[in-house]
């Protein structure tokens, strides 16, 4: 069953998957409790514009995607704070423009035949040791920031008005949180791709939300679930020759619907 660990690329994929699960568990919990799933989708898809720019200008992939994604995320965050009633429209426009820009720049890149499937659905089996080091450093940084700002993030997530009254810099914290989300999205692109990253950010926290009593517990449980989904998805992709990113999300999706079914069954039994 574990013979796939004999290969270095599978060990790299497993390490990257565990790190991705931890990152998504922390940031996904903040995404779910702050109800910014749509904004997360906008950041993820706008990041493709940065990938296209990196390819066209010959920049490092990570630098191009991170820079463009961060700029788009800051615009989305500013709009969502200043004009909440229209924020979904602006986020949707940036989402579409980012994707379109990335596709056009990729088309214009001389002599380059883009592997769109790799960016859209992930290429975790191509993760290098350098990628793992970068993800490891980012995981530590995000965990430290979440720990250091935990009381403020907790107040921001559940009672922003009260946090403001207590003197917490809610707007600054919100922008920091969105910047952390932007970095998370770019890092996870290699694991699940642009299209599937939202599932990894939202499914584990959704399952854990009603089963824990604190945001910290939600983060820890979501990190564990995310890592388990990725390990199981990798094993399925190896065993049945499936696309890794899609297999990971199918495992998460199965857990999501099973969780809903169990909740309904428990409610039905209690009513009886």
């Amino acid at each position: 069953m574990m013979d796939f660990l004999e290969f270095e690329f599978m060990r790299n994929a497993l390490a990257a998957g565990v790190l991705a699960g931890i990152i998504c568990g922390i940031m996904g919990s903040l995404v779910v409790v702050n109800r910014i799933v749509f904004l997360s989708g906008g950041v993820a898809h706008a990041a493709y514009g940065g990938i296209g720019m990196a390819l066209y200008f010959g920049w490092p992939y990570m630098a191009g995607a991170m820079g463009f994604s961060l700029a788009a995320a800051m615009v989305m965050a500013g709009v969502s704070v200043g004009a909440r009633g229209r924020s979904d429209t602006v986020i949707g426009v940036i989402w579409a423009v980012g994707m379109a820009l990335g596709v056009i720049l990729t088309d214009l890149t001389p002599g380059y035949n883009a592997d769109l499937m790799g960016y859209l659905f992930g290429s975790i089996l191509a993760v290098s040791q350098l990628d793992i080091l970068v993800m490891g450093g980012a995981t530590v940084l995000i965990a430290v920031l979440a720990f250091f700002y935990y009381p403020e993030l907790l107040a921001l997530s559940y009672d922003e008005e009260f946090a403001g009254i207590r003197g917490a810099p809610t707007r600054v914290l919100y922008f920091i949180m969105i910047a952390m989300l932007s970095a998370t999205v770019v890092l996870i692109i290699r694991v699940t791709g642009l299209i599937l990253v939202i599932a990894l950010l939202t499914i584990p926290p959704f399952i854990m939300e009603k089963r824990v009593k604190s945001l910290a517990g939600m983060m820890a449980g979501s990190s564990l679930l995310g890592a388990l989904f990725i390990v199981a998805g990798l094993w399925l992709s190896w065993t049945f020759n499936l696309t890794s990113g899609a297999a990971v999300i199918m495992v998460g999706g199965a857990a999501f619907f099973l969780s809903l079914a169990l909740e309904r069954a428990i409610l039905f039994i209690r009513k009886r």
Side-chain angles (χ1 to χ4, degrees):
M1 178 178 177
M2 301 301 289
D3 57 339
F4 66 94
L5 292 180
E6 296 176 3
F7 299 91
E8 183 180 2
F9 71 91
M10 288 302 299
R11 293 195 296 270
N12 289 343
L14 184 62
V18 171
L19 292 172
I22 296 172
I23 298 173
C24 285
I26 295 172
M27 292 308 305
S29 298
L30 294 173
V31 166
V32 170
V33 298
N34 283 278
R35 296 178 176 84
I36 53 173
V37 175
F38 187 66
L39 190 150
S40 304
V43 172
H45 288 77
Y48 195 75
I51 294 172
M53 292 179 67
L55 294 174
Y56 184 78
F57 293 106
W59 299 339
Y61 146 79
M62 188 69 72
M66 190 73 75
F68 191 89
S69 176
L70 181 60
M74 292 299 98
V75 173
M76 294 179 193
V79 170
S80 63
V81 169
R84 292 184 181 272
R86 295 288 183 180
S87 61
D88 58 340
T89 302
V90 177
I91 291 171
V93 170
I94 297 174
W95 175 325
V97 170
M99 284 289 292
L101 178 64
V103 172
I104 290 173
L105 290 176
T106 300
D107 290 340
L108 294 176
T109 301
Y112 184 81
N113 185 16
D115 178 16
L116 295 179
M117 291 290 288
Y119 291 118
L120 295 178
F121 296 99
S123 54
I124 189 172
L125 297 183
V127 170
S128 66
Q129 291 187 350
L130 178 60
D131 293 325
I132 294 173
L133 290 175
V134 172
M135 289 185 68
T139 301
V140 172
L141 178 60
I142 288 174
V144 168
L145 287 173
F147 176 79
F148 185 77
Y149 289 109
Y150 180 77
E152 291 82 2
L153 289 171
L154 181 65
L156 176 68
S157 301
Y158 290 102
D159 197 338
E160 182 178 353
E161 184 177 349
F162 177 70
I165 292 174
R166 290 188 59 186
T170 54
R171 289 202 173 189
V172 174
L173 284 171
Y174 183 74
F175 278 89
I176 290 175
M177 181 175 67
I178 300 303
M180 292 166 62
L181 173 63
S182 174
T184 298
V185 165
V186 173
L187 291 169
I188 305 306
I189 285 174
R190 292 299 300 272
V191 178
T192 60
L194 296 172
I195 293 178
L196 305 178
V197 65
I198 304 306
L200 198 57
L201 277 170
T202 55
I203 291 176
F206 177 86
I207 294 174
M208 293 303 303
E209 187 174 20
K210 298 179 181 179
R211 292 166 175 78
V212 295
K213 297 181 180 180
S214 67
L215 179 60
M218 186 176 175
M219 289 178 175
S222 299
S223 297
L224 179 60
L225 272 184
L228 288 175
F229 291 165
I230 292 173
V231 171
L234 281 173
W235 180 80
L236 287 174
S237 70
W238 170 265
T239 303
F240 299 103
N241 193 26
L242 304 173
T243 300
S244 300
V248 169
I249 301 307
M250 287 304 294
V251 171
F256 174 82
F257 289 114
L258 179 61
S259 173
L260 288 179
L262 287 175
E263 287 181 12
R264 297 296 175 88
I266 292 172
L267 287 175
F268 178 76
I269 293 172
R270 287 178 177 175
K271 288 182 180 179
R272 295 291 295 270

